[in-house]
Amino acid sequence: MSESWAWRARDQGILHAPHFEDSVVGLRVYAFVSQIVWPGNRRPRSARQELELWQSSAVEAAREAVSDPNTTTETALWVLEDSVHLVTTPGERAAFDLDHLNGRVAFRIPVGLWVAELPEAIAKLSSRRRHASKTAR
């Protein structure tokens, strides 16, 4: 992910220091949802975009998924124009589909998979930092 997403997220109030694992997942979700334009809505590319409530809700739900003991690799964040939903089990997914979709446009974000990837990604980042500091001497 480009570093510019982190700067944009900071400017929108999404990222605050110090940064933790939930910030990483929150940033990934922010980068995704900030690009969504719902059918029937127009947004000029050059216009400054203020964060909408549903976008903030999506970022916060993703952050909560990081520390939720029920989060698995199957956990998905469903984003609709007026709401967001964390869904983990096949039963929850079926209920969500019946109760909320009904032909509506929705985006499924694999936050559970992103959470599961965090330890390995952080370990790789740490080893790169150690390696870089050894060569800088």
Side-chain angles (χ1 to χ4, degrees):
M1 175 179 306
S2 167
E3 189 176 304
S4 66
W5 283 111
W7 293 113
R8 286 184 217 165
R10 185 205 61 191
D11 293 345
Q12 292 277 341
I14 296 296
L15 288 180
H16 305 282
H19 307 295
F20 298 105
E21 288 87 355
D22 64 340
S23 297
V24 175
V25 175
L27 178 59
R28 286 186 82 176
V29 169
Y30 167 75
F32 186 91
V33 299
S34 66
Q35 298 180 71
I36 295 173
V37 178
W38 296 103
N41 294 338
R42 297 186 65 174
R43 182 178 70 205
R45 285 177 113 10
S46 60
R48 172 144 167 74
Q49 180 192 357
E50 296 298 321
L51 207 59
E52 295 183 41
L53 180 59
W54 66 270
Q55 292 168 317
S56 297
S57 297
V59 171
E60 289 309 311
R63 283 182 168 156
E64 289 174 14
V66 173
S67 59
D68 186 342
N70 296 319
T71 297
T72 70
T73 57
E74 299 300 315
T75 300
L77 177 65
W78 284 90
V79 179
L80 289 83
E81 191 170 8
D82 59 354
S83 60
V84 298
H85 305 267
L86 278 171
V87 176
T88 298
T89 67
E92 288 173 350
R93 183 172 180 179
F96 169 78
D97 193 348
L98 290 171
D99 295 341
H100 299 283
L101 290 183
N102 291 330
R104 295 177 65 195
V105 174
F107 291 90
R108 180 184 179 277
I109 303 174
V111 294
L113 185 59
W114 292 353
V115 169
E117 293 171 347
L118 278 174
E120 183 180 331
I122 290 171
K124 284 181 182 177
L125 181 61
S126 296
S127 68
R128 274 191 250 155
R129 283 185 182 161
R130 278 194 301 260
H131 180 67
S133 64
K134 286 179 184 176
T135 59
R137 290 181 184 175

